[in-house]
Amino acid sequence: MSHLTYAEAMVIGLIQGVTELFPVSSLGHSVLIPALVGGSWAQDLSVSRPESPYLAFIVGLHVATAAALIIYFRHDWARIVTGFVSSLRDRTIATAEQKLAWMIVLATIPVGLAGLALEHTFRVVFSKPVPTALFLAVNGVILLAGERARRRSGEHGAAQQPAMAAPATPQRAITAAGYPAQSPGRYPASPLSGLRQQPVEQSADSPETAEDGRLAGMGFGKAIVIGAVQVFALLPGISRDGMVTVTGMFRGLSREDAVRYSFLLSTPVILAAGVLKIPDLFGPLGAGIHGQVLAGSLLSGLAAYFSVRFLVRYFSKARSLVPFAIYCLIAGLGSLAWFAIR
């Protein structure tokens, strides 16, 4: 009977914490690493096998990763949650934080519904080593395409500068609600028309409010489109953060803002995925592995915290997605070659 050892739990926990936030697919690594190591690892750590204790173990890792994100972005989440509560109470959207809160809620719905309906099918059908390696290589191509599009559009000129200057530029078209006008016909109308929208209150003295204002300025339609691409991350090898970041860049966000939005979107998705399956930890799948789950989760949470801290600083200096793309291509194609000759 297969089990989960402490060595397996600690190694996978550490890797999960890093790869969940780097744009290189944590699920892809959860499938490929056991397959590459082989032996008892391939037996014990099978995502596609329905009765594997590995599934219960992954639950603990997700909760730990989400906790790390919440701790790191605690000030951001305090503003967003406060904005959401005040928006419900006052039935209005008057601040950047209120609008951003609703954008995150609405952008999370597509992947939430898809996860409930398709997670089992995608995991059983696609969570095999060869398809996963192929998807990881495709993820590298997507990251390269996003970086190429950013460079061609001139992020530090035409794309990024208007986003920074939008709140103070009187010449830019402004809607009656106080938000930058969207091109007609490109995105759906706001699904929150029942709430009273007022001009966004912003403070030039607050960098945090400026960041929230830039994201809120992209509008509900664009936010939902960007959030919906998280559905592709149900495929092992495709990165959730990578897809959101690249799509955000294609939709006119600066790389730094796209990365921040991807982390904010990831938090409720990762947390919900873990919380919904917590009963597995206390059922037959979690029997005998509670200590391993705790050890792996602690390492996963620590790795996630330091990973997001590194990535925020990395992208704040306008660093490129290219190194992550090259890694995905090498890891994906290298794994395919290894499986072919083994």
Side-chain angles (χ1 to χ4, degrees), residues 114-301:
L116 291 173
L118 301 173
E119 185 272 337
H120 177 77
T121 301
F122 274 44
R123 176 170 51 80
V124 172
V125 174
F126 295 109
S127 295
K128 306 291 194 300
V130 171
T132 298
L134 180 60
F135 286 132
L136 186 60
V138 170
N139 188 71
V141 174
I142 292 170
L143 295 180
L144 285 176
E147 194 62 38
R148 178 178 174 83
R150 182 200 64 81
R151 291 177 179 176
R152 290 182 63 181
S153 66
E155 174 184 294
H156 298 290
Q160 189 176 20
Q161 193 63 30
M164 296 287 290
T169 306
Q171 293 83 3
R172 189 175 181 185
I174 302 295
T175 66
Y179 303 118
Q182 300 293 329
S183 300
R186 287 189 60 194
Y187 301 102
S190 168
L192 301 174
S193 54
L195 294 177
R196 189 172 65 256
Q197 297 193 31
Q198 300 175 356
V200 174
E201 301 169 3
Q202 299 205 21
S203 170
D205 299 327
S206 171
E208 294 81 6
T209 302
E211 293 172 353
D212 293 345
R214 290 199 303 272
L215 289 180
M218 67 177 164
F220 288 109
K222 189 182 294 188
I224 294 171
V225 169
I226 295 173
V229 301
Q230 294 180 99
V231 172
F232 292 102
L234 294 174
L235 296 169
I238 302 297
S239 166
R240 176 187 296 106
D241 291 316
M243 289 297 298
V244 172
T245 298
V246 168
T247 306
M249 288 161 55
F250 271 115
R251 295 298 184 179
L253 293 180
S254 68
R255 192 198 293 109
E256 184 178 359
D257 284 343
V259 168
R260 179 170 177 260
Y261 188 52
S262 77
F263 288 149
L264 292 176
L265 282 182
S266 292
T267 305
V269 175
I270 297 171
L271 183 60
V275 169
L276 285 174
K277 290 186 175 291
I278 276 182
D280 290 347
L281 287 175
F282 302 98
L285 292 181
I289 63 167
H290 291 161
Q292 294 91 316
V293 170
L294 179 60
S297 297
L298 287 173
L299 284 178
S300 181

Side-chain angles (χ1 to χ4, degrees), residues 74-88 97 101:
R74 59 192 180 277
H75 299 301
D76 301 70
W77 280 112
R79 294 195 311 276
I80 292 169
V81 171
T82 300
F84 182 70
V85 172
S86 65
S87 178
L88 288 177
E97 288 72 25

Side-chain angles (χ1 to χ4, degrees), residues 7-22 24-34 37 41 45 54 57-58 61 65 296 299-301 303-304 307 327:
E8 293 168 344
M10 294 171 73
V11 169
I12 295 297
L14 189 62
I15 293 174
Q16 158 75 19
V18 173
T19 57
E20 183 69 59
L21 302 179
F22 279 71
V24 296
S25 177
S26 62
L27 181 55
H29 284 74
S30 297
V31 174
L32 287 178
I33 290 175
V37 174
W41 283 61
L45 310 179
Y54 195 34
F57 174 62
I58 293 293
L61 300 189
T65 303
L299 284 178
S300 181
S307 293
Y327 168 81

